[in-house]
Structure formats: C-alpha cells, structure tokens
Amino acid sequence: MRGVLDVPEALVPVQGLIADALVRVESVFDEHLRAELPPVDQLCAHVERYRGKMLRPILVLLGAISAAPEAPELFASGREDELVTDELIRLAAVCEMVHMATLVHDDVLDDAELRRRGATLNHLRGNEAAVILGDYLIAGAYHLCATIGRLDLSERIGRVSMDLCAGELLQLHHRGDLSLDEPTYFEIVRRKTGTLIGVSCELGASLVNAPPETASALYQTGLRLGVAFQIRDDLLDLTGDEQRVGKSVRKDLEKGKLTLPLVHHLGACEPISRGRSLELIEGGAGGVSEADERELLGRLTETGSVTYTEATARALVNEAQQQIATLPPTPARALLDALAQAVVDRAL
Amino acid sequence: MRGVLDVPEALVPVQGLIADALVRVESVFDEHLRAELPPVDQLCAHVERYRGKMLRPILVLLGAISAAPEAPELFASGREDELVTDELIRLAAVCEMVHMATLVHDDVLDDAELRRRGATLNHLRGNEAAVILGDYLIAGAYHLCATIGRLDLSERIGRVSMDLCAGELLQLHHRGDLSLDEPTYFEIVRRKTGTLIGVSCELGASLVNAPPETASALYQTGLRLGVAFQIRDDLLDLTGDEQRVGKSVRKDLEKGKLTLPLVHHLGACEPISRGRSLELIEGGAGGVSEADERELLGRLTETGSVTYTEATARALVNEAQQQIATLPPTPARALLDALAQAVVDRAL
C-alpha cells in the first residue's frame, strides 16, 4: 500500500483512490493538532515523522468503500471517488491519532530509542513531553471524532480505547510471568492491538450506513488481521534485525514480555531442557548476548515454535479472508483481500 | 462542601441535594471503569482513593441546577431533586474522570510520592502502570460522555482536554525559564487548570439547555475560579507544609516551575538583590534546604509577592462572583457564590 503493495492491474485505480485519500488524511491529522503555540507545534511535527504504513486509516477507507450499499453501482460507473467524503477522511485520521497516541506512550513504557528509523520522542525530548503529547493526541482524536457528527462513532472510539488500555495493563501485570499461557497471551493481544484494527474496519462501514452484518464481518476481519499483525511483530522483535525492522528490537525479552513463540516453546519443550530455556529468557532482562540469542533461537526452532507462530498468524489471516469473501464483490474488497495476504507475506 | 463548607441555614437543603448527587457520581465513576479484569480493577480501586474535593462534579451539578430555566419554579415547589438527572450525574463523573487522569499523569511527571495523604500510583506501582491507567481514565471519560447522547458535550470535552495538554506542554517548555513573565504564566494556568473548571460549570448549563449567555457566564465563572484555585495551589506549594497540604510540596521549585509569587518577586526586587534570589530559586532544583526556604520566603514577603499573589487570586474570585450575580436568584446560585468565597478563604 502507498505504492508498496504489488497489486494486479485491475486494482491500480482503487489503490490510487486510497493513496489520494491518505494525503487528505495526513492534512486533516496535522491541521487538527495545530495549536498556534510553537512548543506544541514543534512536538506535533516530530510525531508526523513517525507516520508509517497508515494501516488503520487504510482499513477505515477500505471498510467504508467496500461496504457502502451504493459502492457496486459507483464502481461500475467510475464514480467511486464520491465514496471518499470529508467525514470518512476525518474518521480515518481519528483512528490513526488513537494509534499514534499509543505508540508515543508505548515508547515511553518500553524505553525505546528508535521508531520508524528515527529517534523516539521520549529519547529526544524526555518522557514528560512524550506522556503529555500522547495525551494531546488522544484528546485530538476524540475531539475530531465528535466533529464528524455521529455519537455512535464517539462511543465506539471511547470504548475501544478503554479496551486497548486494559490490554496494556494486563500485559504489564504479566510482565516477567514465565507461566503465561496462550489464552492470556491472546486476550492481551486481542485487546491491545486487535480491537482498534477491528474497529477501524467496522467504523468505516458504520459511517456509510452499511448493514450491521457487513459492519460486523469487517470488525471480525480487522480483529483477526490485527492479532496476526501483532504476532508477526512479536516474532520480528525476537528474530528480526534492528536495521531491517526500523525500530528497537529484543525489547520484549528485556521487558520480561513473553510472546507467542516463547509461550509455545516453554509448553512444548522437554522438562529436562526447560530449565536452560527459562534461564536464557530470564537472562534477557539484562540485555541478550549474541551467543544467548543464537542458542534461544535454536531452541525455538527445535520445538517448532517459530513455525507454529507463523502458522497461527497465517490461520488468522485465512479466517479474515473468509470474512472478506462475504462482502459485496468490488475492487475495494479485492484490495482488502490483497492487504490481508500481505500480512502473511510480510509485504506490508 | 461535602459537609465541609459552613453554609447558612437556607442553603442546607441545596447542599444536601449536591451531597446526595455526589454519592451517585462516585458510583457511576467506579462502575464505568470496572473491567472484569482483576489487574485493571485493582489499579482503579487505587484511583478511587485519590478522590478529593470533587470540585469539578460539584460545579457541573451547580452549573446545571442554577441555570436550568425551570429551576426557580422547582425550587419554589420543593421539587428541585428533579433537576438531578442520570445524564447530569454522568456528565459530572466525566469531568472528574478527565481531572483524575491528569492527576495520575501529573504525578508521573512530577515524580510525586504523596497525593491526598496516600502514596501516589506511580510511587506504588511504577510509572508504566500510572501512564496506562491515566490513559484508561481518559478513555473512560470520553466513552461515558458519548453515552449521554449529546455530541456538543463530547466535542467540548475533547477540545478542553486538548487545551489542558497544550497548557502542560507550554509549562514543560518553560521549565527552568527564569525569565517567565506574567502573561505566559497566566496562559499556562488558564489552559491547564482554568478551562476544565470553566467547562465543568458551562456544560452543566448546556445539558439543561440554559440560554447561551448563562452558559457563557458560567464558563467565565469557572475559568476565573480555576485560575484562582491554581494560584492558591502554587502558593501552597511554596509556603505550605506537606502534612497540612496532604501532598508533596516544593515540587515546583524542584522541577524548575516558576509560579506567580516568584515571577512577581523577580520582577519587583532591586537589581542588586535579584542575583541572590535567582541563586536560591535555581538551587531549589536540587531540593531546598530549610535555611534557603526561610530566606526565599523572607525575600518574597519583602517585595510583597505573597500579598500580591493572594490579592490576584482574590480579584479573580471577585470577578467570578460578579458573573454569578447575573444568574437567576436560586439557592444554587447562593451556594455557588459561597463556594467561590471558599476559594479565597481557603475553606475548600
């Protein structure tokens, strides 16, 4: 997406429609945060540099465009740009703003120094500025949402933000908990990442007054994509390379966060071998040596935990694609399907 | 208030009405945050212990009760409890939740250990839990606000939260700035404290569909009370005693925050004496010795800065009382006036 996704010829126009819409989303995002107070504007300018894949705004847009009752007709007559209203652009900016607020606060919690190949705000300007700026972003999101003129959207955005924080608190509570089980891991990930991505898909559909079953199918799609995305992210933190990933890695081990590959590994390995794995994981809290890293990855591979994790993400994406298949057949639906596939292929 | 305020006989019934309403506000506050996740609920239970004067909910209630077009008639016929609707209770809880979120994050920013005579959340459970819990509270506030069913309230609450954060960012930007001037000090205080208290008064009136000029008079009332309140708080941080105040003191000096008495003092003192004052203020960043504290207070008294600060707060309260006098004459108006007076008398 944003030119990154390699789509078939037939999807080029709808991809262009989304790309144009994203430019508008960015302007609304930036303008809404402008405060005419130089110190505030300088910090907001820094956040603009964090801008990444814009997954949530893309999903808001695709949710609306693929679910609008008049979409098939508008696509057939080449008038699909009428689907991209000012309200839709604002809603897309709202979801990105909520996400950006969590990124800024997450980096404070994680003591992260690197985000999207640049220094994090907390690293550059201190934790205090980062905490307040995160608050400013979330306030901006709610304010912008209220200007759309639909109370149901404001309620849903408030609700999903509560869920998101509850997920983070649950994760914090289980920090250093080496007996974390899969259901709890999924509960955390569903809340902290899944629900906002689900709601992004769903609210696009709600805004265009799609039938409730379509909005619900889109929520289920986003929820699964979100969880798959987080699982992939957790795997990258463990196996990825900082330069390639573009943000701090090995943070999960350092912070005592057990992720799916580790949870699976500890459940699957022989009792006799488990002690050494626990030792390596616990040792990670003080920073992981390269030798320990290699040994741990070797152990994860032995129990098939990396493969298991990848398969879990793939299964979730498959479920998402089954939901997508229930939507009306438009180019927007096809693009949504391609996007889901990209999560599996790591092309996104 | 809450039985603390010594009111004339005639105001006892309306004070009772507010006291009963506050019990309902507390229940809504607590119930709305319940997550059915034990780690989340435990943290929320801690926040319930922070509960203080409930100034913002009281002002929401008094704003509504004193501005409702039907209030004089209902008071005359002893049916004033009909003014306290479920929506009003929820709105009062919303304003308290926004405030509580800022307290939790402020304590993180200030490294404060004491709040309302108990250990702060950050001190007890770490900065991370405090940052996320603050986010959870603010999300809860927006969600609860959306359930009231009035978009104008959601928009106003979003807007005032942005203002509040902008004030905090401005304050952070001027940390350690020994040339801070009065207009900037007032800009900071107006945004970070004044606007939410103003909006608390105003939204109560908006909810009951009071005429716009009444809602506006109430906003102006709250804004001035809020600024006066903050000035008094800043003075207490400088001159107060930790045991009596019930929260950490001398934090402003330690954090390089110049407050009104200091701003006035530096502007008013003789050039020859200014250097020593700057030395004492800058020295405060490393913790203030008792001798330095005494010397600084002596210098503030010499330039009349404590008197000036108190007079400034008193003048703001007078302005607020002039606004209050424009409201319809009901017992609620009289109680609002008594509350304003209590800010001056430090009875609140």
Side-chain angles (χ1 to χ4, degrees):
Chain A
M1 192 55 66
R2 309 191 87 180
V4 177
L5 213 59
D6 196 15
V7 292
E9 190 75 16
L11 298 188
V12 171
V14 63
Q15 178 153 264
L17 185 71
I18 300 290
D20 292 346
L22 287 178
V23 175
R24 290 168 62 193
V25 172
E26 288 179 0
S27 309
V28 167
F29 188 104
D30 299 347
E31 272 161 33
H32 191 70
L33 297 175
R34 206 151 293 158
E36 281 153 41
L37 292 171
V40 178
D41 289 346
Q42 281 157 23
L43 288 171
C44 290
H46 187 94
V47 165
E48 289 165 24
R49 297 219 313 266
Y50 276 15
R51 202 165 278 146
K53 292 177 285 282
M54 305 270 277
L55 178 64
R56 289 151 197 84
I58 290 171
L59 290 174
V60 172
L61 295 164
L62 278 177
I65 296 175
S66 62
E70 64 276 32
E73 193 197 318
L74 289 173
F75 269 110
S77 57
R79 289 158 51 219
E80 64 270 18
D81 55 347
E82 290 176 23
L83 292 163
V84 188
T85 60
D86 279 344
E87 286 75 18
L88 183 59
I89 296 292
R90 259 182 278 165
L91 183 59
V94 166
C95 291
E96 183 67 2
M97 235 176 249
V98 173
H99 171 58
M100 210 62 107
T102 66
L103 285 191
V104 171
H105 281 182
D106 270 359
D107 284 343
V108 175
L109 305 183
D110 290 349
D111 271 324
E113 296 179 3
L114 200 64
R115 158 85 58 194
R116 304 232 161 101
R117 297 175 211 288
T120 58
L121 194 68
N122 45 302
H123 186 56
L124 217 59
R125 308 290 294 263
N127 280 343
E128 291 159 315
V131 169
I132 312 171
L133 192 74
D135 292 348
Y136 184 69
L137 286 165
I138 194 84
Y142 291 119
H143 180 252
L144 186 59
C145 191
T147 69
I148 298 173
R150 285 259 308 252
L151 259 172
D152 57 333
L153 305 178
S154 287
E155 206 198 314
R156 204 82 175 93
I157 287 290
R159 183 74 253 171
V160 75
S161 307
M162 289 180 81
D163 245 340
L164 216 151
C165 297
E168 295 264 13
L169 286 172
L170 199 59
Q171 174 166 282
L172 188 64
H173 181 76
H174 285 283
R175 187 174 281 184
D177 172 8
L178 296 175
S179 63
L180 183 79
D181 55 21
E182 280 199 29
T184 310
Y185 170 82
F186 280 109
E187 174 81 17
I188 291 169
V189 169
R190 194 183 60 76
R191 286 183 186 256
K192 88 167 186 164
T193 313
T195 51
L196 179 60
I197 297 186
V199 162
S200 296
C201 290
E202 177 199 332
L203 289 193
S206 300
L207 183 70
V208 298
N209 302 312
E213 60 275 17
T214 308
S216 162
L218 277 162
Y219 176 74
Q220 296 300 336
T221 300
L223 183 66
R224 282 163 177 74
L225 284 184
V227 174
F229 202 81
Q230 184 65 55
I231 289 175
R232 209 191 66 179
D233 219 47
D234 288 351
L235 195 60
L236 276 182
D237 183 84
L238 209 56
T239 63
D241 161 63
E242 192 150 308
Q243 278 310 308
R244 226 176 54 84
V245 180
K247 63 178 184 180
S248 299
V249 296
R250 304 307 169 266
K251 280 285 159 193
D252 292 341
L253 267 185
E254 222 172 89
K255 286 277 163 179
K257 277 190 223 169
L258 235 55
T259 52
L260 190 57
L262 296 169
V263 172
H264 177 268
H265 170 71
L266 290 174
C269 70
E270 296 297 321
I272 199 164
S273 152
R274 206 166 172 267
R276 175 61 187 152
S277 289
L278 286 172
E279 209 173 85
L280 286 165
I281 294 170
E282 278 188 309
V288 197
S289 78
E290 268 189 52
D292 284 358
E293 212 175 286
R294 258 197 312 278
E295 185 182 345
L296 187 59
L297 280 180
R299 289 173 156 264
L300 288 173
T301 310
E302 258 172 51
T303 48
S305 303
V306 173
T307 317
Y308 171 79
T309 303
E310 284 168 343
T312 305
R314 205 174 308 118
L316 283 161
V317 171
N318 279 344
E319 284 177 35
Q321 288 176 314
Q322 282 164 28
Q323 296 282 344
I324 293 169
T326 69
L327 300 173
T330 63
R333 182 183 83 170
L335 188 57
L336 193 55
D337 187 75
L339 195 77
Q341 192 57 41
V343 174
V344 172
D345 300 343
R346 299 194 178 183
L348 189 73
Chain B
M1 194 56 67
R2 308 191 88 179
V4 176
L5 213 59
D6 195 15
V7 293
E9 190 75 17
L11 298 188
V12 170
V14 62
Q15 179 153 263
L17 185 71
I18 300 289
D20 291 346
L22 287 178
V23 176
R24 289 167 63 192
V25 172
E26 288 180 359
S27 311
V28 167
F29 187 103
D30 298 347
E31 272 160 32
H32 192 69
L33 297 174
R34 207 152 293 157
E36 282 154 41
L37 292 171
V40 179
D41 289 347
Q42 280 157 20
L43 288 171
C44 289
H46 187 94
V47 166
E48 289 166 23
R49 297 219 315 264
Y50 275 16
R51 202 165 279 147
K53 292 176 285 281
M54 304 271 277
L55 178 63
R56 289 151 196 82
I58 290 171
L59 289 174
V60 172
L61 296 164
L62 278 178
I65 295 173
S66 62
E70 64 276 32
E73 194 198 317
L74 289 172
F75 270 109
S77 57
R79 288 156 54 217
E80 63 270 16
D81 55 345
E82 291 176 23
L83 292 163
V84 187
T85 60
D86 279 344
E87 287 75 18
L88 182 59
I89 295 292
R90 259 182 278 165
L91 183 60
V94 166
C95 291
E96 183 67 2
M97 234 176 250
V98 172
H99 171 58
M100 210 63 106
T102 66
L103 285 191
V104 171
H105 280 183
D106 270 359
D107 284 342
V108 176
L109 305 183
D110 290 349
D111 270 327
E113 297 180 1
L114 199 65
R115 160 83 59 193
R116 304 231 162 101
R117 297 174 212 287
T120 58
L121 194 67
N122 45 304
H123 186 58
L124 216 60
R125 309 291 293 263
N127 280 342
E128 291 159 313
V131 169
I132 313 171
L133 192 73
D135 293 349
Y136 183 69
L137 285 165
I138 194 86
Y142 291 120
H143 180 252
L144 185 59
C145 191
T147 68
I148 298 173
R150 285 260 308 252
L151 259 173
D152 58 332
L153 305 178
S154 288
E155 206 198 314
R156 203 82 177 93
I157 288 290
R159 182 75 253 173
V160 75
S161 307
M162 290 180 81
D163 244 341
L164 215 150
C165 297
E168 295 264 12
L169 286 171
L170 199 59
Q171 174 166 282
L172 188 63
H173 180 76
H174 286 284
R175 186 173 282 183
D177 172 7
L178 297 176
S179 63
L180 183 79
D181 55 20
E182 280 199 27
T184 311
Y185 170 81
F186 280 109
E187 174 81 18
I188 291 169
V189 169
R190 195 183 59 76
R191 287 183 187 257
K192 88 167 187 163
T193 313
T195 51
L196 179 59
I197 297 187
V199 162
S200 296
C201 289
E202 178 199 333
L203 290 192
S206 301
L207 183 71
V208 297
N209 302 312
E213 59 276 16
T214 307
S216 162
L218 278 162
Y219 176 74
Q220 295 300 336
T221 301
L223 183 65
R224 281 163 179 74
L225 284 184
V227 174
F229 202 80
Q230 183 66 55
I231 289 175
R232 209 191 66 179
D233 220 46
D234 288 351
L235 195 60
L236 276 181
D237 183 85
L238 210 55
T239 64
D241 162 66
E242 193 151 304
Q243 278 310 308
R244 224 175 56 85
V245 179
K247 63 178 183 180
S248 300
V249 295
R250 303 310 169 264
K251 279 287 159 193
D252 292 339
L253 267 186
E254 221 173 89
K255 287 277 165 179
K257 276 190 223 166
L258 234 56
T259 53
L260 190 57
L262 296 170
V263 171
H264 177 269
H265 170 71
L266 290 175
C269 69
E270 296 297 322
I272 198 166
S273 151
R274 208 167 171 266
R276 175 62 187 151
S277 289
L278 287 172
E279 209 173 88
L280 286 165
I281 294 170
E282 277 188 308
V288 197
S289 78
E290 267 189 52
D292 285 356
E293 214 174 285
R294 258 198 310 277
E295 185 183 346
L296 187 58
L297 280 180
R299 289 172 155 263
L300 288 172
T301 310
E302 258 172 51
T303 48
S305 303
V306 173
T307 317
Y308 171 80
T309 304
E310 284 168 344
T312 306
R314 203 175 308 117
L316 284 161
V317 171
N318 278 343
E319 284 176 35
Q321 288 177 314
Q322 283 164 27
Q323 296 283 343
I324 294 170
T326 69
L327 301 173
T330 62
R333 182 184 84 170
L335 188 57
L336 193 54
D337 188 74
L339 195 76
Q341 191 56 42
V343 174
V344 172
D345 300 344
R346 300 194 176 180
L348 189 73

